[in-house]
Amino acid sequence: MSGICASIAAARHGASTALVHDRPAPGGNAGSEIRMHICGADYNGARPDARETGILLEILLENKRRNPNHSFSVFETVLWEKLRFQENLDLYLNTRVTGAETEQMEAGQTGTERRKITHIQAVQMTTEKTFRFLARQFIDATGDGYLAMLAGANLMSGREGRQVFGEPSAPEESDSCTMGNSLLFSAVDTGKPAPFARPFWAEKMDPEKLEARWIGEITSGYWWLELGGDTEDCIADGEEIRDQLLAALYGTWDYIKNSGKYQAENYALDWVGFLPGKRESRRVTGDYVLKEQDLRQGKRFADGVAYGGWPMDMHVIGGLRGQTGEGNRNIYLDDVYTIPYRCLYSRNVENLFLAGRAISVSHMAFGSTRVMGTCSVAGQACGTAAALAVKAGITPREMRAHICLLQQTLLKDDCYIPGVENQDTNDKLRGLHSITCSWEQKDGLCANVTNGVSRRVGQESNCWISGEIGENGEWIAVTLPEPTQIGEIHIKFDPNLTKPIMPSLSHAQRQLQVEGMPHELARDYKVELLSGEQCLWQETVKENGQRFRIHRLPPGIAGDCIRITVTATYGDAFARIFEIRAY
């Protein structure tokens, strides 16, 4: 998901972009081969108003509209469509990077040896074609830091001891252990007895260890079906770990089916994963390493470009082979934290950006940053930065001098950066207070739509909330001081940033979601540009399915008022708009 968001962002900002992916379909851990739901800062709805926006939300809302039954294959089709038909983006599926060519650069101020990637080689398995990709900027979204490794980047792996970064919850001494790999499964109620005999190669599981884990839901697999990362390397020993996981999975299902404890007589396995979901392997060293203390403090970095909020989710080393008891330890965070831009590029490969779980973080911080929602928003920041760097002809490190431009570009594209508000001088509505509406609630004043923050934060709604929508709808109008040419109108609606909307195997997770589209989202609305009371331009939208909408006007139209009228939502009684911008 990080590579998808990075590549779309880069392409949308004008960079000629290639997404090179070695699987048959996009999605990674969220695709049909692994089927893990997309977790993020909202902690499956436990942290209010924290869900990621930007390209990830755009994808998830489109999927929710078209894929009500949570089919991961249909989700992959939604992802493929977003990539395949994105201008400036070429998609290479079934294509494996096989090598990277670099050239030596002059040592930097620290005397560190520096490199630059000139091109990469790749093979497409389905067509037997070989490719040579030349680019000015490269993004490693492989998860394993594979391109970074090929290019000679400085890497980290294992658990840093407490003395390395001064992290209070780190182990006493450094070691090479990582979190393990997992296989998921799904099961269905057949409506009649479905006997199951344990295959000869399946493991006879230890009931004490299984009972210490959570087996409350027998229709979807368990994250704690996890192995590797202790005596076995999650990359080098991946095939052996996969075989061991299959043995453990079928042994676990044997216990569920035949122990008599789970009322599983009518249930049968419907799908079993064959590609393990990988948690941890290499991490790439950037100009800053995000640490446990940063997360605990909910730190707002001056160069923050993304954010996280999932707990530091530290898994037992060895997974099922580890100690008896729960399979992980969650270190909960009081607030979300920002991810600094300095974590998103290599410190010694001067044209290598980092997206996904291999960004520059400690093992402890990695326990939180590794989840796909967080990886996705960091990926969008990375792709946006790469496109801006290409446009300016500068390196990732040199982009730091333009961090305000990057942050404001991300906010404009509906990303959220805690502590950063709209300061875009090109936004013709920024800071305007001449705002009227048909009705406003006490905690939803119409002035909120230009206050620079496009989601609820704490007790501040930052949203216009109307009165009850009547026959003629509810309207809000922003008046400009003089007639002004308007080329685009940007609107950010409320899709409820607390309730999860991702596809999931888990019925428990599905029950947290509403059926259909988010009830708060505006369904039908009209946008108008006025001069006095004269309507110069208008556009009516029916069955809107997105939070972030851009309306492009014909050239040369100058008006002094923008009015939006919401006539229907997907169930909520009130119209809700977080932000209106004009360019």
Side-chain angles (χ1 to χ4, degrees), residues 93-137:
L93 295 175
N94 297 297
T95 306
R96 176 69 174 175
V97 173
T98 57
E101 293 294 324
T102 63
E103 62 183 29
Q104 204 80 7
M105 309 294 292
E106 291 184 10
Q109 293 179 348
T110 61
T112 304
E113 178 186 288
R114 295 188 303 135
R115 300 165 179 245
K116 177 180 179 181
I117 304 173
T118 58
H119 64 273
I120 62 172
Q121 300 94 27
V123 174
Q124 191 169 55
M125 286 80 80
T126 49
T127 63
E128 300 180 355
K129 293 178 181 177
T130 59
F131 295 98
R132 187 169 178 261
F133 293 96
L134 289 82
R136 292 167 66 180
Q137 306 291 347

Side-chain angles (χ1 to χ4, degrees), residues 474-488:
E474 291 289 305
W475 60 266
I476 184 170
V478 184
T479 301
L480 293 100
E482 59 186 9
T484 305
Q485 285 199 11
I486 302 294
E488 291 183 351

Side-chain angles (χ1 to χ4, degrees), residues 6-20:
S7 60
I8 292 173
R12 286 181 178 177
H13 283 284
S16 177
T17 306
L19 177 58
V20 182

Side-chain angles (χ1 to χ4, degrees), residues 4 28 36 45 65 70 164-165 169 189 249 263 272 296 302 350 391 420 518 522:
I4 288 169
M36 177 60 195
R65 184 175 68 84
H70 291 251
V164 176
F165 296 118
S169 304
D189 185 347
L249 187 155
Q263 299 180 330
V272 173
R296 285 182 178 271
E350 75 158 24
K391 192 177 296 184
V420 181

Side-chain angles (χ1 to χ4, degrees), residues 154-441:
N154 297 150
L155 303 173
M156 299 176 280
S157 64
R159 303 187 296 177
E160 292 83 17
R162 198 165 299 171
Q163 75 286 355
V164 176
F165 296 118
E167 297 172 304
S169 304
E172 287 286 350
E173 300 295 332
S174 299
D175 58 39
S176 60
C177 296
T178 67
M179 300 185 211
N181 301 349
S182 290
L183 278 183
L184 298 179
F185 68 83
S186 64
V188 295
D189 185 347
T190 66
K192 60 183 179 181
F196 176 80
R198 179 169 59 90
F200 72 90
W201 44 264
E203 185 175 352
K204 185 71 173 176
M205 301 300 290
D206 180 352
E208 184 181 359
K209 282 196 173 182
L210 289 184
E211 292 296 341
R213 267 74 170 172
W214 181 77
I215 312 182
E217 184 178 5
I218 64 174
T219 55
S220 68
Y222 307 112
W223 58 262
W224 49 256
L225 279 169
E226 175 182 358
L227 292 169
D230 48 357
T231 58
E232 293 162 318
D233 184 275
C234 288
I235 296 175
D237 300 315
E239 291 292 293
E240 182 179 348
I241 292 171
R242 190 261 333 280
D243 292 349
Q244 294 175 6
L245 282 168
L246 283 169
L249 187 155
Y250 276 87
T252 300
W253 184 246
D254 172 54
Y255 181 76
I256 291 171
K257 282 286 295 180
N258 298 322
S259 66
K261 296 184 177 182
Y262 298 101
Q263 299 180 330
E265 183 184 17
N266 291 356
Y267 285 85
L269 288 173
D270 175 55
W271 169 82
V272 173
F274 237 81
L275 178 67
K278 200 179 295 176
R279 286 185 181 82
E280 182 178 12
S281 49
R282 307 180 187 98
R283 286 166 281 124
V284 186
T285 308
D287 275 351
Y288 185 80
V289 178
L290 193 67
K291 298 178 283 293
E292 174 187 350
Q293 301 93 309
D294 300 325
L295 275 59
R296 285 182 178 271
Q297 294 168 13
K299 193 163 185 178
R300 271 56 169 162
F301 289 92
D303 64 337
V305 290
Y307 73 102
W310 186 261
M312 283 184 282
D313 183 0
M314 315 311 294
H315 285 223
V316 170
I317 298 302
L320 285 170
R321 306 278 184 264
Q323 64 198 51
T324 300
E326 294 185 7
N328 72 328
R329 174 174 63 114
N330 277 328
I331 301 172
Y332 297 99
L333 305 173
D334 293 335
D335 197 2
V336 296
Y337 57 88
T338 58
I339 298 173
Y341 173 67
R342 289 163 291 163
C343 294
L344 302 186
Y345 60 87
S346 165
R347 74 175 180 184
N348 71 309
V349 180
E350 75 158 24
N351 60 342
L352 180 61
F353 282 94
L354 311 172
R357 57 185 170 86
I359 65 173
S360 182
V361 298
S362 72
H363 168 80
M364 291 301 303
F366 174 86
S368 172
T369 62
R370 64 185 173 83
V371 294
M372 283 184 280
T374 305
C375 289
S376 296
V377 292
Q380 181 165 354
C382 194
T384 304
L388 294 177
V390 166
K391 192 177 296 184
I394 57 178
T395 67
R397 179 174 286 112
E398 290 168 339
M399 265 299 299
R400 285 173 54 188
H402 308 277
I403 195 65
C404 291
L405 171 63
L406 175 57
Q407 290 172 328
Q408 292 303 315
T409 302
L410 290 167
L411 292 188
K412 182 180 179 182
D413 291 342
D414 196 27
C415 293
Y416 174 55
I417 307 171
V420 181
E421 298 183 0
N422 175 21
Q423 298 294 330
D424 187 352
T425 56
N426 293 318
D427 175 12
K428 296 173 182 178
L429 305 187
R430 184 175 68 95
L432 287 185
H433 301 294
S434 300
I435 305 171
T436 55
C437 62
S438 53
W439 186 270
E440 61 183 8
Q441 298 192 21

